[in-house]
Amino acid sequence: MRQAKSRRTDRTLSAEKTEAILAGGMQEFLAHGYAATSMDRVALAAKVSKATVYNHFQDKEHLFTALIQQLVAQKFRAIFDAADAQVLNASPQVVLKAFANRALDTMINEPQFLNFMRVILGESGRFPQLAHAFVHNIEQAAFRKLCQYFTSCPHLKFTDPEATARIFVGAIVHFLIVQEMLDGKAIMPMERDRLIDTLVTLILTNQPEQL
């Protein structure tokens, strides 16, 4: 009985330490960037030993990738899960507008997400594997599911659902980067509703049914 309780405690402590390391890693990457962050810094921020950090994550790249996976799981999958439950049976116009608004709300209202995106974009030239990890996880969580919707929705008959999904998401990401991350709203402002309405209209133009 005591041994079983000890194993449960070990698992709990391991999970707690994993969360502490991820939080410490996020803190350090945001404060110093990828190149200047060391596992020593992460250990100090997480209040664990350096050996513990390496026991949980093989190296700095694996830690950064784990943060990407966590971020995608928390943000992008939540967008689609909510859409599944609420609006996928509605008209494509309603579905796409809801998705675009939910995506932008999720990303814009989370400063940590925007700052982490800045780190990825800023470091992608020297460390392309970081960008590759981000794109791979976005592919799994966002593009595939949207492409599946474009393919399976009986009201839509796209010649190339994958390319259409990339165009749709690309417009949203462009809006996010230019307006929010690069402060474009102070130079070339664009109302969000105007962009989404126009994007959805363009995507649904020439569909076989009146939407």
Side-chain angles (χ1 to χ4, degrees):
M1 183 70 175
R2 182 180 299 174
Q3 186 177 5
K5 183 178 180 181
S6 176
R7 284 199 297 268
R8 287 196 298 271
T9 302
D10 289 345
R11 286 196 295 270
T12 302
L13 288 174
S14 180
E16 290 174 354
K17 287 180 180 179
T18 297
E19 289 302 313
I21 294 166
L22 287 169
M26 178 66 79
Q27 173 186 312
E28 293 304 308
F29 286 129
L30 293 183
H32 306 289
Y34 181 80
T37 294
S38 67
M39 295 298 252
D40 291 292
R41 284 182 178 272
V42 173
L44 286 172
K47 296 182 173 59
V48 298
S49 69
K50 186 176 178 180
T52 298
V53 175
Y54 278 107
N55 284 337
H56 285 74
F57 299 97
Q58 181 179 336
D59 52 30
K60 185 169 68 170
E61 183 178 336
H62 281 79
L63 173 58
F64 197 89
T65 300
L67 284 168
I68 290 174
Q69 292 168 344
Q70 182 187 62
L71 194 69
V72 169
Q74 290 176 345
K75 303 302 176 188
F76 288 88
R77 288 185 184 137
I79 293 168
F80 282 99
D81 288 346
D84 286 344
Q86 297 175 24
V87 298
L88 283 184
N89 291 325
S91 70
Q93 186 176 46
V94 171
V95 171
L96 295 180
K97 285 186 178 182
F99 165 75
N101 278 301
R102 189 176 292 112
L104 288 173
D105 284 341
T106 299
M107 294 182 285
I108 291 173
N109 294 332
E110 181 52 70
Q112 187 180 79
F113 174 85
L114 294 179
N115 290 332
F116 195 66
M117 282 284 293
R118 289 186 178 97
V119 173
I120 294 171
L121 292 174
E123 303 279 15
S124 61
R126 288 184 295 171
F127 305 100
Q129 69 272 22
L130 305 181
H132 294 169
F134 184 75
V135 171
H136 174 73
N137 280 276
I138 292 298
E139 178 76 23
Q140 298 292 326
F143 284 122
R144 287 192 182 184
K145 205 151 188 180
L146 186 59
C147 185
Q148 181 181 7
Y149 171 73
F150 281 160
T151 302
S152 62
C153 179
H155 302 292
L156 301 175
K157 305 294 180 184
F158 292 119
T159 303
D160 191 336
E162 181 182 0
T164 305
R166 291 180 182 275
I167 291 168
F168 187 84
V169 174
I172 295 171
V173 172
H174 177 270
F175 179 87
L176 174 72
I177 291 175
V178 173
Q179 295 292 303
E180 299 296 329
M181 297 176 65
L182 300 179
D183 200 28
K185 58 189 175 186
I187 304 168
M188 43 183 291
M190 166 62 67
E191 298 85 357
R192 188 168 93 173
D193 289 345
R194 179 182 168 194
L195 179 128
I196 292 174
D197 288 347
T198 302
L199 174 62
V200 171
T201 298
L202 289 172
I203 292 292
L204 298 180
T205 296
N206 298 321
Q207 289 302 304
E209 297 185 20
Q210 182 65 37
L211 304 175

PDB file of all heavy atoms in Angstrom, residues 80 135 138-148 162 165-170 173:
ATOM      1  N   PHE A  80     -11.125  24.770 -32.675  1.00  0.00           N
ATOM      2  CA  PHE A  80     -11.863  23.808 -33.479  1.00  0.00           C
ATOM      3  C   PHE A  80     -12.824  22.977 -32.645  1.00  0.00           C
ATOM      4  O   PHE A  80     -13.909  22.640 -33.102  1.00  0.00           O
ATOM      5  CB  PHE A  80     -10.887  22.901 -34.234  1.00  0.00           C
ATOM      6  CG  PHE A  80     -10.296  23.566 -35.449  1.00  0.00           C
ATOM      7  CD1 PHE A  80      -9.040  24.137 -35.387  1.00  0.00           C
ATOM      8  CD2 PHE A  80     -11.008  23.652 -36.625  1.00  0.00           C
ATOM      9  CE1 PHE A  80      -8.496  24.764 -36.496  1.00  0.00           C
ATOM     10  CE2 PHE A  80     -10.479  24.280 -37.737  1.00  0.00           C
ATOM     11  CZ  PHE A  80      -9.212  24.830 -37.679  1.00  0.00           C
ATOM     12  N   VAL A 135       5.105  25.060 -37.505  1.00  0.00           N
ATOM     13  CA  VAL A 135       4.283  24.812 -38.689  1.00  0.00           C
ATOM     14  C   VAL A 135       3.714  23.396 -38.655  1.00  0.00           C
ATOM     15  O   VAL A 135       2.546  23.168 -38.991  1.00  0.00           O
ATOM     16  CB  VAL A 135       5.101  25.045 -39.979  1.00  0.00           C
ATOM     17  CG1 VAL A 135       4.328  24.571 -41.203  1.00  0.00           C
ATOM     18  CG2 VAL A 135       5.463  26.520 -40.119  1.00  0.00           C
ATOM     19  N   ILE A 138       0.834  23.300 -36.197  1.00  0.00           N
ATOM     20  CA  ILE A 138      -0.312  24.031 -36.736  1.00  0.00           C
ATOM     21  C   ILE A 138      -0.985  23.210 -37.827  1.00  0.00           C
ATOM     22  O   ILE A 138      -2.212  23.176 -37.947  1.00  0.00           O
ATOM     23  CB  ILE A 138       0.122  25.404 -37.290  1.00  0.00           C
ATOM     24  CG1 ILE A 138       0.572  26.303 -36.142  1.00  0.00           C
ATOM     25  CG2 ILE A 138      -1.018  26.059 -38.064  1.00  0.00           C
ATOM     26  CD1 ILE A 138      -0.492  26.610 -35.136  1.00  0.00           C
ATOM     27  N   GLU A 139      -0.175  22.535 -38.642  1.00  0.00           N
ATOM     28  CA  GLU A 139      -0.708  21.679 -39.701  1.00  0.00           C
ATOM     29  C   GLU A 139      -1.628  20.622 -39.103  1.00  0.00           C
ATOM     30  O   GLU A 139      -2.725  20.360 -39.610  1.00  0.00           O
ATOM     31  CB  GLU A 139       0.444  21.001 -40.449  1.00  0.00           C
ATOM     32  CG  GLU A 139       0.022  20.036 -41.543  1.00  0.00           C
ATOM     33  CD  GLU A 139      -0.465  20.724 -42.803  1.00  0.00           C
ATOM     34  OE1 GLU A 139      -0.092  21.892 -43.027  1.00  0.00           O
ATOM     35  OE2 GLU A 139      -1.230  20.100 -43.543  1.00  0.00           O
ATOM     36  N   GLN A 140      -1.163  19.991 -38.017  1.00  0.00           N
ATOM     37  CA  GLN A 140      -1.945  18.936 -37.391  1.00  0.00           C
ATOM     38  C   GLN A 140      -3.228  19.483 -36.764  1.00  0.00           C
ATOM     39  O   GLN A 140      -4.281  18.848 -36.823  1.00  0.00           O
ATOM     40  CB  GLN A 140      -1.105  18.242 -36.308  1.00  0.00           C
ATOM     41  CG  GLN A 140       0.144  17.552 -36.821  1.00  0.00           C
ATOM     42  CD  GLN A 140      -0.161  16.340 -37.673  1.00  0.00           C
ATOM     43  OE1 GLN A 140      -1.125  15.635 -37.440  1.00  0.00           O
ATOM     44  NE2 GLN A 140       0.660  16.114 -38.679  1.00  0.00           N
ATOM     45  N   ALA A 141      -3.138  20.636 -36.136  1.00  0.00           N
ATOM     46  CA  ALA A 141      -4.242  21.141 -35.331  1.00  0.00           C
ATOM     47  C   ALA A 141      -5.217  22.022 -36.094  1.00  0.00           C
ATOM     48  O   ALA A 141      -6.384  22.104 -35.730  1.00  0.00           O
ATOM     49  CB  ALA A 141      -3.697  21.920 -34.134  1.00  0.00           C
ATOM     50  N   ALA A 142      -4.764  22.694 -37.135  1.00  0.00           N
ATOM     51  CA  ALA A 142      -5.614  23.687 -37.799  1.00  0.00           C
ATOM     52  C   ALA A 142      -5.908  23.344 -39.246  1.00  0.00           C
ATOM     53  O   ALA A 142      -7.060  23.111 -39.618  1.00  0.00           O
ATOM     54  CB  ALA A 142      -4.961  25.060 -37.707  1.00  0.00           C
ATOM     55  N   PHE A 143      -4.887  23.303 -40.087  1.00  0.00           N
ATOM     56  CA  PHE A 143      -5.116  23.130 -41.511  1.00  0.00           C
ATOM     57  C   PHE A 143      -5.876  21.849 -41.829  1.00  0.00           C
ATOM     58  O   PHE A 143      -6.808  21.849 -42.630  1.00  0.00           O
ATOM     59  CB  PHE A 143      -3.790  23.143 -42.277  1.00  0.00           C
ATOM     60  CG  PHE A 143      -3.199  24.515 -42.428  1.00  0.00           C
ATOM     61  CD1 PHE A 143      -1.932  24.787 -41.950  1.00  0.00           C
ATOM     62  CD2 PHE A 143      -3.903  25.538 -43.038  1.00  0.00           C
ATOM     63  CE1 PHE A 143      -1.380  26.057 -42.074  1.00  0.00           C
ATOM     64  CE2 PHE A 143      -3.358  26.807 -43.171  1.00  0.00           C
ATOM     65  CZ  PHE A 143      -2.085  27.065 -42.690  1.00  0.00           C
ATOM     66  N   ARG A 144      -5.498  20.747 -41.208  1.00  0.00           N
ATOM     67  CA  ARG A 144      -6.134  19.478 -41.540  1.00  0.00           C
ATOM     68  C   ARG A 144      -7.609  19.475 -41.198  1.00  0.00           C
ATOM     69  O   ARG A 144      -8.433  18.954 -41.943  1.00  0.00           O
ATOM     70  CB  ARG A 144      -5.414  18.323 -40.825  1.00  0.00           C
ATOM     71  CG  ARG A 144      -4.063  17.985 -41.419  1.00  0.00           C
ATOM     72  CD  ARG A 144      -3.537  16.676 -40.888  1.00  0.00           C
ATOM     73  NE  ARG A 144      -2.209  16.391 -41.435  1.00  0.00           N
ATOM     74  CZ  ARG A 144      -1.537  15.276 -41.203  1.00  0.00           C
ATOM     75  NH1 ARG A 144      -2.068  14.346 -40.433  1.00  0.00           N
ATOM     76  NH2 ARG A 144      -0.343  15.084 -41.720  1.00  0.00           N
ATOM     77  N   LYS A 145      -7.935  20.052 -40.045  1.00  0.00           N
ATOM     78  CA  LYS A 145      -9.339  20.037 -39.638  1.00  0.00           C
ATOM     79  C   LYS A 145     -10.180  20.974 -40.504  1.00  0.00           C
ATOM     80  O   LYS A 145     -11.312  20.648 -40.872  1.00  0.00           O
ATOM     81  CB  LYS A 145      -9.464  20.420 -38.166  1.00  0.00           C
ATOM     82  CG  LYS A 145     -10.715  19.865 -37.522  1.00  0.00           C
ATOM     83  CD  LYS A 145     -10.508  19.635 -36.041  1.00  0.00           C
ATOM     84  CE  LYS A 145     -11.696  18.891 -35.450  1.00  0.00           C
ATOM     85  NZ  LYS A 145     -11.530  18.658 -34.011  1.00  0.00           N
ATOM     86  N   LEU A 146      -9.644  22.132 -40.829  1.00  0.00           N
ATOM     87  CA  LEU A 146     -10.367  23.049 -41.705  1.00  0.00           C
ATOM     88  C   LEU A 146     -10.504  22.447 -43.103  1.00  0.00           C
ATOM     89  O   LEU A 146     -11.566  22.547 -43.733  1.00  0.00           O
ATOM     90  CB  LEU A 146      -9.639  24.394 -41.773  1.00  0.00           C
ATOM     91  CG  LEU A 146     -10.359  25.508 -42.546  1.00  0.00           C
ATOM     92  CD1 LEU A 146     -11.733  25.793 -41.944  1.00  0.00           C
ATOM     93  CD2 LEU A 146      -9.512  26.772 -42.562  1.00  0.00           C
ATOM     94  N   CYS A 147      -9.438  21.808 -43.573  1.00  0.00           N
ATOM     95  CA  CYS A 147      -9.484  21.150 -44.878  1.00  0.00           C
ATOM     96  C   CYS A 147     -10.535  20.040 -44.880  1.00  0.00           C
ATOM     97  O   CYS A 147     -11.261  19.855 -45.860  1.00  0.00           O
ATOM     98  CB  CYS A 147      -8.110  20.592 -45.225  1.00  0.00           C
ATOM     99  SG  CYS A 147      -8.007  19.871 -46.872  1.00  0.00           S
ATOM    100  N   GLN A 148     -10.617  19.315 -43.787  1.00  0.00           N
ATOM    101  CA  GLN A 148     -11.622  18.254 -43.675  1.00  0.00           C
ATOM    102  C   GLN A 148     -13.029  18.842 -43.757  1.00  0.00           C
ATOM    103  O   GLN A 148     -13.923  18.274 -44.394  1.00  0.00           O
ATOM    104  CB  GLN A 148     -11.442  17.511 -42.357  1.00  0.00           C
ATOM    105  CG  GLN A 148     -12.431  16.366 -42.142  1.00  0.00           C
ATOM    106  CD  GLN A 148     -12.232  15.681 -40.808  1.00  0.00           C
ATOM    107  OE1 GLN A 148     -11.444  16.126 -39.978  1.00  0.00           O
ATOM    108  NE2 GLN A 148     -12.952  14.603 -40.581  1.00  0.00           N
ATOM    109  N   GLU A 162      -7.565  21.998 -49.790  1.00  0.00           N
ATOM    110  CA  GLU A 162      -6.367  22.283 -49.006  1.00  0.00           C
ATOM    111  C   GLU A 162      -5.854  23.689 -49.270  1.00  0.00           C
ATOM    112  O   GLU A 162      -5.549  24.443 -48.341  1.00  0.00           O
ATOM    113  CB  GLU A 162      -5.265  21.269 -49.311  1.00  0.00           C
ATOM    114  CG  GLU A 162      -4.006  21.516 -48.492  1.00  0.00           C
ATOM    115  CD  GLU A 162      -2.875  20.557 -48.821  1.00  0.00           C
ATOM    116  OE1 GLU A 162      -3.061  19.690 -49.696  1.00  0.00           O
ATOM    117  OE2 GLU A 162      -1.805  20.680 -48.202  1.00  0.00           O
ATOM    118  N   ALA A 165      -8.150  26.193 -47.673  1.00  0.00           N
ATOM    119  CA  ALA A 165      -7.946  26.283 -46.230  1.00  0.00           C
ATOM    120  C   ALA A 165      -6.718  27.127 -45.909  1.00  0.00           C
ATOM    121  O   ALA A 165      -6.719  27.930 -44.968  1.00  0.00           O
ATOM    122  CB  ALA A 165      -7.803  24.879 -45.639  1.00  0.00           C
ATOM    123  N   ARG A 166      -5.657  26.964 -46.692  1.00  0.00           N
ATOM    124  CA  ARG A 166      -4.436  27.737 -46.449  1.00  0.00           C
ATOM    125  C   ARG A 166      -4.658  29.227 -46.735  1.00  0.00           C
ATOM    126  O   ARG A 166      -4.132  30.089 -46.032  1.00  0.00           O
ATOM    127  CB  ARG A 166      -3.291  27.184 -47.300  1.00  0.00           C
ATOM    128  CG  ARG A 166      -2.836  25.805 -46.831  1.00  0.00           C
ATOM    129  CD  ARG A 166      -1.709  25.259 -47.682  1.00  0.00           C
ATOM    130  NE  ARG A 166      -1.340  23.917 -47.239  1.00  0.00           N
ATOM    131  CZ  ARG A 166      -0.494  23.650 -46.252  1.00  0.00           C
ATOM    132  NH1 ARG A 166       0.084  24.648 -45.601  1.00  0.00           N
ATOM    133  NH2 ARG A 166      -0.219  22.399 -45.908  1.00  0.00           N
ATOM    134  N   ILE A 167      -5.413  29.517 -47.767  1.00  0.00           N
ATOM    135  CA  ILE A 167      -5.730  30.920 -48.075  1.00  0.00           C
ATOM    136  C   ILE A 167      -6.536  31.541 -46.939  1.00  0.00           C
ATOM    137  O   ILE A 167      -6.262  32.666 -46.494  1.00  0.00           O
ATOM    138  CB  ILE A 167      -6.506  31.014 -49.401  1.00  0.00           C
ATOM    139  CG1 ILE A 167      -5.589  30.653 -50.583  1.00  0.00           C
ATOM    140  CG2 ILE A 167      -7.100  32.410 -49.592  1.00  0.00           C
ATOM    141  CD1 ILE A 167      -6.323  30.435 -51.896  1.00  0.00           C
ATOM    142  N   PHE A 168      -7.512  30.790 -46.449  1.00  0.00           N
ATOM    143  CA  PHE A 168      -8.374  31.304 -45.381  1.00  0.00           C
ATOM    144  C   PHE A 168      -7.571  31.578 -44.111  1.00  0.00           C
ATOM    145  O   PHE A 168      -7.622  32.678 -43.543  1.00  0.00           O
ATOM    146  CB  PHE A 168      -9.490  30.294 -45.100  1.00  0.00           C
ATOM    147  CG  PHE A 168     -10.534  30.797 -44.142  1.00  0.00           C
ATOM    148  CD1 PHE A 168     -11.582  31.582 -44.590  1.00  0.00           C
ATOM    149  CD2 PHE A 168     -10.468  30.488 -42.797  1.00  0.00           C
ATOM    150  CE1 PHE A 168     -12.548  32.051 -43.707  1.00  0.00           C
ATOM    151  CE2 PHE A 168     -11.416  30.952 -41.901  1.00  0.00           C
ATOM    152  CZ  PHE A 168     -12.460  31.736 -42.363  1.00  0.00           C
ATOM    153  N   VAL A 169      -6.813  30.569 -43.663  1.00  0.00           N
ATOM    154  CA  VAL A 169      -6.009  30.738 -42.445  1.00  0.00           C
ATOM    155  C   VAL A 169      -4.916  31.780 -42.662  1.00  0.00           C
ATOM    156  O   VAL A 169      -4.605  32.569 -41.765  1.00  0.00           O
ATOM    157  CB  VAL A 169      -5.411  29.392 -42.001  1.00  0.00           C
ATOM    158  CG1 VAL A 169      -4.455  29.585 -40.829  1.00  0.00           C
ATOM    159  CG2 VAL A 169      -6.516  28.416 -41.620  1.00  0.00           C
ATOM    160  N   GLY A 170      -4.334  31.797 -43.865  1.00  0.00           N
ATOM    161  CA  GLY A 170      -3.272  32.761 -44.160  1.00  0.00           C
ATOM    162  C   GLY A 170      -3.740  34.194 -44.017  1.00  0.00           C
ATOM    163  O   GLY A 170      -3.000  35.050 -43.512  1.00  0.00           O
ATOM    164  N   VAL A 173      -3.952  34.932 -40.276  1.00  0.00           N
ATOM    165  CA  VAL A 173      -2.613  35.077 -39.691  1.00  0.00           C
ATOM    166  C   VAL A 173      -1.971  36.392 -40.132  1.00  0.00           C
ATOM    167  O   VAL A 173      -1.326  37.083 -39.339  1.00  0.00           O
ATOM    168  CB  VAL A 173      -1.727  33.879 -40.065  1.00  0.00           C
ATOM    169  CG1 VAL A 173      -0.286  34.118 -39.629  1.00  0.00           C
ATOM    170  CG2 VAL A 173      -2.262  32.597 -39.422  1.00  0.00           C
TER     171      VAL A 173
END
